[in-house]
Amino acid sequence: MANKVLLLVFIIAICTTFVISDGKKKLHDDKDKDKGKGKGNGHGKDKHKNNGGLAINFYGENCPRAEEIVQTVTERHVSSNPDLPAKLLRVLFHDCFVRGCDGSVLLNSAKGSQSEKEASANRNLAGFEVVEDIKEEIEKECPDVVSCADILALATRDAVSLQYGRPLWEVPTGRRDGTTSLASEAEANLPSSFSKFPVLLNNFAIKGLSVRDLVALSGAHTIGVSRCNFVSSRLFNFTGKGDQDPSLNPSYADFLRTQCKGPSDATTTLELDPKSSLSFDNHYFQILKEHKGLFMSDAALLDDANARKITEEFLNSERFFDEFATSMEKMGAIGVLTGRQGQIRKQCTLVN
């Protein structure tokens, strides 16, 4: 009898241990599953949680409403100016490709020194007022805490994402502001809309970005416009003989010539993505397939077999959104200043 009781106790102990262990295993399995769930763009892909010293919700303790203020002010501006998402995207790209994402593109020129704004590639940049308005609101609540570089990164994400009602990519924060801004560095570092593929690839590689990043980030041309003079050579005098670029769809070139007043037309604007320039989507890759990319740098993506294959992949909307998010997070971490580097500017246009 005693032996039977001991056997029963032994069996109960084994079963109890198995249940507890199995419960722990299930909990860990669920946690592991959660780790794979994307929180930012809903595409279920692991995100960069700590890029270059940046972190999600960096201001959670010392300025908990910072990102809420950014979103509110950004939405107010975009609701009255639907062109702003494209403009802010361009400002962010031009910031990150010169000295990294340090807000240097926001600085005004100082005595005896031209800032990045004065570079020929930056003279048409717009949307600075959004960053300045956000900075003013945040300073009222959390003085000297939130950087202009972070405000630009967050406002860009929120402006582009507004049509979807959810963030399309995550923005780890913690950037600090740079104190140097030189037009000469912008001229040397910014990719050109006239560049051929090898030059573009090298521009991106220097910044630690791959050919996939190049193609994905070029997808930003799904929104926005350009002036005729940036494409006039493709339309009116490609080889100096009054011809057009043979890589441009002939019927589309004919249409563009009806819109532009001539080779020197610097006022008329053209959609980068015909009939879809206010909607952030993957339609850009459809027009590339039809050889209707507006810039030489757009057409250049079809000159390389690998890049061309990626443009075809991005005809799948989910694939494009997923990889655009990843590339934006990579770009947003280029050369960031963190910790005690740089400063938190009191005004985005001036060094403290």
Side-chain angles (χ1 to χ4, degrees):
M1 181 66 180
N3 289 338
K4 289 182 179 181
V5 171
L6 287 172
L7 180 60
L8 181 61
V9 170
F10 180 66
I11 292 172
I12 291 173
I14 291 174
C15 292
T16 303
T17 301
F18 174 79
V19 170
I20 293 173
S21 299
D22 188 62
K24 288 181 179 178
K25 182 179 184 299
K26 186 176 187 303
L27 179 62
H28 287 303
D29 286 345
D30 288 344
K31 285 183 178 179
D32 288 340
K33 289 178 183 177
D34 288 341
K35 287 179 183 178
K37 294 179 180 178
K39 295 180 181 179
N41 62 9
H43 294 302
K45 192 171 184 177
D46 285 343
K47 295 299 167 190
H48 301 270
K49 297 299 183 184
N50 191 343
N51 280 347
L54 306 179
I56 296 296
N57 197 29
F58 179 84
Y59 300 107
E61 293 185 5
N62 53 3
C63 193
R65 290 189 60 245
E67 296 194 21
E68 177 188 338
I69 294 171
V70 172
Q71 184 178 23
T72 299
V73 177
T74 300
E75 289 183 0
R76 185 169 68 236
H77 277 275
V78 174
S79 65
S80 60
N81 184 357
D83 294 326
L84 273 174
K87 291 177 178 179
L88 287 172
L89 258 179
R90 188 164 179 245
V91 173
L92 181 62
F93 287 164
H94 285 222
D95 183 41
C96 292
F97 268 80
V98 183
R99 289 187 167 266
C101 309
D102 66 346
S104 57
V105 74
L106 305 172
L107 286 168
N108 289 337
S109 295
K111 188 175 181 179
S113 177
Q114 287 191 321
S115 72
E116 293 171 32
K117 286 181 180 179
E118 301 303 319
S120 58
N122 286 338
R123 287 176 189 159
N124 292 322
L125 291 181
F128 297 111
E129 72 280 2
V130 180
V131 177
E132 292 165 12
D133 285 356
I134 294 169
K135 180 66 171 175
E136 184 177 349
E137 288 296 315
I138 288 181
E139 286 297 299
K140 294 175 184 177
E141 184 154 333
C142 315
D144 306 322
V145 172
V146 182
S147 70
C148 298
D150 273 343
I151 290 173
L152 174 59
L154 289 165
T156 301
R157 189 271 311 273
D158 292 346
V160 175
S161 302
L162 181 58
Q163 73 180 90
Y164 292 98
R166 58 179 175 79
L168 294 181
W169 66 91
E170 287 187 338
V171 178
T173 44
R175 297 167 187 79
R176 288 171 65 85
D177 297 320
T179 57
T180 301
S181 182
L182 300 171
S184 58
E185 292 187 345
E187 300 285 7
N189 285 277
L190 289 173
S192 167
S193 61
F194 299 99
S195 294
K196 294 185 178 181
F197 185 80
V199 176
L200 291 171
L201 189 62
N202 184 61
N203 284 149
F204 276 67
I206 290 171
K207 305 301 177 184
L209 300 173
S210 68
V211 63
R212 297 194 75 85
D213 297 316
L214 166 58
V215 178
L217 294 174
S218 294
H221 287 173
T222 191
I223 53 175
V225 298
S226 175
R227 289 180 172 83
C228 283
N229 57 309
F230 284 97
V231 296
S232 62
S233 64
R234 302 189 75 198
L235 302 176
F236 299 101
N237 198 23
F238 188 64
T239 65
K241 299 178 180 179
D243 54 350
Q244 70 180 42
D245 183 349
S247 69
L248 185 61
N249 182 298
S251 61
Y252 186 53
D254 290 341
F255 166 75
L256 293 175
R257 277 193 294 272
T258 68
Q259 304 302 299
C260 297
K261 299 171 185 176
S264 59
D265 183 357
T267 56
T268 304
T269 58
L270 304 168
E271 291 182 291
L272 297 182
D273 186 354
K275 300 180 181 179
S276 183
S277 64
L278 291 178
S279 176
F280 189 85
D281 50 37
N282 69 326
H283 188 253
Y284 167 80
F285 298 99
Q286 180 60 45
I287 68 161
L288 277 190
K289 186 177 180 180
E290 298 169 2
H291 297 277
K292 294 180 181 179
L294 193 62
F295 296 138
M296 290 176 66
S297 59
D298 295 320
L301 299 181
L302 302 180
D303 292 339
D304 176 81
N306 191 18
R308 185 169 60 251
K309 180 176 180 295
I310 298 169
T311 68
E312 292 169 358
E313 290 178 28
F314 290 167
L315 290 169
N316 179 298
S317 181
E318 185 175 356
R319 186 69 174 271
F320 166 63
F321 276 96
D322 215 20
E323 297 216 27
F324 183 81
T326 298
S327 295
M328 284 298 293
E329 290 167 30
K330 286 177 66 177
M331 188 190 76
I334 294 173
V336 292
L337 303 175
T338 57
R340 297 184 179 182
Q341 298 172 315
Q343 61 182 212
I344 303 297
R345 296 204 293 265
K346 297 179 184 297
Q347 296 182 56
C348 292
T349 56
L350 302 171
V351 173
N352 294 345

